[in-house]
């Protein structure tokens, strides 16, 4: 299993690209892989073939109506590990000995 | 204001680097800037001088006992905007017309 | 066609990772795709399936004897364009009206 | 000393951004730091303060007339090392036992 984080934007569609990002998130959400959306991209977890297939699907969907696309990505592989979308964050808080502003905690403060 | 996302790891300290990441998060947490930790890095929001000073402080702290460090980062600048750690995510969900797995929602499911 | 730039390193093999990078370059060199190696990664040009297949092959080769791997990557898609490993650099120099330190010019100074 | 590789583009200026990239390269070229331009970004070498100052200068110059800017960057720190723009490439070729397509070799083939 790997974690793949990526962000993908058209270069020629103006200041706001959230409608294009929303289309990518729709593809990711329907892929069945576990994922988390945040302000600078989306992290998905799966086998290497699975995550690269989602990346490719997002690029092809965006290329249907965008002539220039930039995408930055990061892969994190750790032999024998999975479920790391949350455990990597827990491990840092545990080493620190206190809770910090993870996307979870900050959002639930706002929701309450 | 800018959003800076970065992840920083030593290359010569074995499989698990969470203790070194925890030290960086401690620096970020004490910086006073708004931030969110997630599984592939941390996003901070501030003026360019502020966010680069935090990045430098993390690098210098890690270089105190790590001889090889790799760091990847992303900057997102949008004139006249701030508070984007949450509004960028909200904007995508609003375009999609439904809530998706943001770090907030996923975590509060687990916490409840 | 897309440009894919990536760098891939094991996290648990000490300060120097060039032997592992060399194995990736061997895979890239034998792939038949056009590419350029530089100090912070390698840029390859091909169809999306081709470049992702090379990325996957490098990850699987490294995972054979490395338990933790980090990889950062960037994709640049521009409809209707190819041969961009050199033309993107030429276009910047042409806009500047002078030659600057591209990896080419700097190296040939050293070789002469 | 660190190596900083970055690429910086406006999101709202159309398909071609080379004129904006050229302005950044002008700033880098005049900074006095050693650097190499390639198809996916520019690598500069210097002390952390020096390289972050150049990154900031490029962002501020681009923000003068671009309302949305995306930048991805990578830092590589290795205690006690410098001159790595070329030595990192040489080390990989030396491990491989043959020359490969580095930006230098490929360009000099074209120039000859």
């Amino acid at each position: 299993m790997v974690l793949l984080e990526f962000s993908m934007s058209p270069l020629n569609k103006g200041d706001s690209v959230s409608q294009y990002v929303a289309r990518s998130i729709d593809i990711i959400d329907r892929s069945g892989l576990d994922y988390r959306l945040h302000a600078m991209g989306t992290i998905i977890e799966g086998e290497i073939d699975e995550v690269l297939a989602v990346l490719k699907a997002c690029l092809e969907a965006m290329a249907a109506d965008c002539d220039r696309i930039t995408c930055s990505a990061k892969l994190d592989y750790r032999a024998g590990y999975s479920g790391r979308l949350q455990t990597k964050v827990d491990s840092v808080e545990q080493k620190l000995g206190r809770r910090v502003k993870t996307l979870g905690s900050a959002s639930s403060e706002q929701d309450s």
Side-chain angles (χ1 to χ4, degrees), chain A:
Chain A
M1 296 280 266
V2 295
L3 291 177
L4 170 67
E5 180 194 27
F6 71 95
S7 63
M8 190 181 288
S9 313
L11 268 196
N12 59 341
K13 298 289 182 184
D15 286 13
S16 171
V17 293
S18 53
Q19 72 181 85
Y20 299 95
V21 173
R23 282 192 332 202
S24 294
I25 303 307
D26 192 44
I27 292 169
I28 293 166
D29 193 35
R30 295 177 194 280
S31 73
L33 297 182
D34 199 5
Y35 72 91
R36 300 292 185 275
L37 166 68
H38 59 71
M40 291 294 273
T42 306
I43 314 167
I44 56 182
E45 184 167 40
E47 298 301 336
I48 184 69
D49 285 322
E50 295 174 317
V51 300
L52 294 184
V54 168
L55 182 79
K56 180 187 167 190
C58 292
L59 184 74
E60 289 179 338
M62 199 173 281
D65 57 3
C66 300
D67 285 343
R68 184 79 189 270
I69 298 168
T70 182
C71 168
S72 63
K74 259 187 321 200
L75 265 172
D76 178 359
Y77 163 77
R78 189 168 188 185
Y81 282 71
S82 63
R84 298 169 66 215
L85 283 166
Q86 190 57 42
T87 57
K88 279 184 75 178
V89 173
D90 297 342
S91 164
V92 170
E93 288 190 317
Q94 190 255 332
K95 296 284 187 328
L96 259 178
R98 68 180 190 274
R99 297 210 70 179
V100 292
K101 286 192 181 181
T102 65
L103 290 159
S105 60
S107 308
S108 43
E109 279 162 31
Q110 283 155 330
D111 296 347
S112 56

